[in-house]
Amino acid sequence: VTVAFFLPNVLHMFWGNYVALIGAGIFILLQLILLVSFAHDWCEKCLYNYDDRGLRHWLYILVGSTLSLFLFSAVTTILLYVFFAPSGCSLNQFLISFNLVLCVLVVLLSVHPRVQEVIPKSGIAQASMVTAYITYVTASALANEPIMQGEHGQCNPLSKSRSTRTTAILLGATFTLIAVVYSTSRAGR
């Protein structure tokens, strides 16, 4: 840590612009893999308790959590369009629309017969968790977008809000902590 203060600024710029960017992308993919693993475990637990143990409320828990996650994704996407995609913010409009297309694609792939053939226990519940996560990541990226030169904050109404940044940091840290705890507990089995 001490040596980092004596390194030239060019090295920090290279690290921040290239190495950290690639590392962040890999980290998000690893979190997504852990999330899919958690979603499969959650779905299997709910189905085991419903099918094998005859506990009907587990079916309601599974369906309720699935619908809640889809509702979160839909409401968040609508709010992103309303607040972050006014006219003139074409990048934000593209990112929100691309996220929406990815969400629909994930849902369609989760029920595709070929996927069901390979992974019979996959389905809508796992897709709901993935869509909620990628919608959260998109919302977090848009909320933390800096104001570009010539803009007046119309593409990011939260850019001047300090509490929004704190909330985004806390949510990101929470997701990271949950992913680390889940991966270590899973590796311990």
Side-chain angles (χ1 to χ4, degrees):
V1 173
T2 305
V3 172
F5 288 105
F6 298 104
L7 294 174
N9 196 29
V10 175
L11 184 63
H12 289 288
M13 294 301 289
F14 173 77
W15 181 268
N17 288 332
Y18 301 106
V19 178
L21 186 66
I22 293 168
I26 292 170
F27 180 73
I28 288 175
L29 286 175
L30 288 175
Q31 275 191 320
L32 195 55
I33 290 168
L34 289 172
L35 182 69
V36 170
S37 174
F38 171 74
H40 279 288
D41 288 351
W42 170 254
C43 191
E44 284 181 11
K45 180 178 181 167
C46 289
L47 290 176
Y48 167 76
N49 285 324
Y50 172 70
D51 289 338
D52 296 344
R53 296 181 62 204
L55 301 172
R56 190 164 182 80
H57 67 276
W58 280 96
L59 178 65
Y60 299 130
I61 291 171
L62 180 63
V63 171
S65 63
T66 301
L67 291 176
S68 297
L69 290 168
F70 277 132
L71 182 65
F72 166 80
S73 297
V75 168
T76 304
T77 301
I78 291 168
L79 290 174
L80 288 175
Y81 273 119
V82 169
F83 291 109
F84 292 92
S87 63
C89 299
S90 56
L91 178 61
N92 289 3
Q93 292 168 351
F94 168 77
L95 291 173
I96 298 167
S97 299
F98 187 67
N99 178 62
L100 186 60
V101 169
L102 285 178
C103 289
V104 170
L105 186 65
V106 164
V107 171
L108 291 176
L109 284 175
S110 72
V111 295
H112 193 274
R114 295 270 248 196
V115 173
Q116 291 292 315
E117 191 177 292
V118 176
I119 310 168
K121 297 261 185 183
S122 71
I124 298 288
Q126 293 86 349
S128 71
M129 286 191 189
V130 171
T131 58
Y133 178 71
I134 61 176
T135 302
Y136 158 74
V137 170
T138 303
S140 177
L142 293 175
N144 289 306
E145 179 185 29
I147 296 176
M148 299 301 203
Q149 189 174 11
E151 286 184 7
H152 298 294
Q154 76 269 13
C155 293
N156 183 1
L158 304 175
S159 62
K160 295 175 182 152
S161 172
R162 193 147 185 80
S163 64
T164 303
R165 295 202 187 278
T166 304
T167 303
I169 289 170
L170 288 174
L171 281 173
T174 302
F175 272 122
T176 302
L177 179 67
I178 290 170
V180 168
V181 167
Y182 177 73
S183 65
T184 55
S185 68
R186 186 159 170 84
R189 284 193 234 172

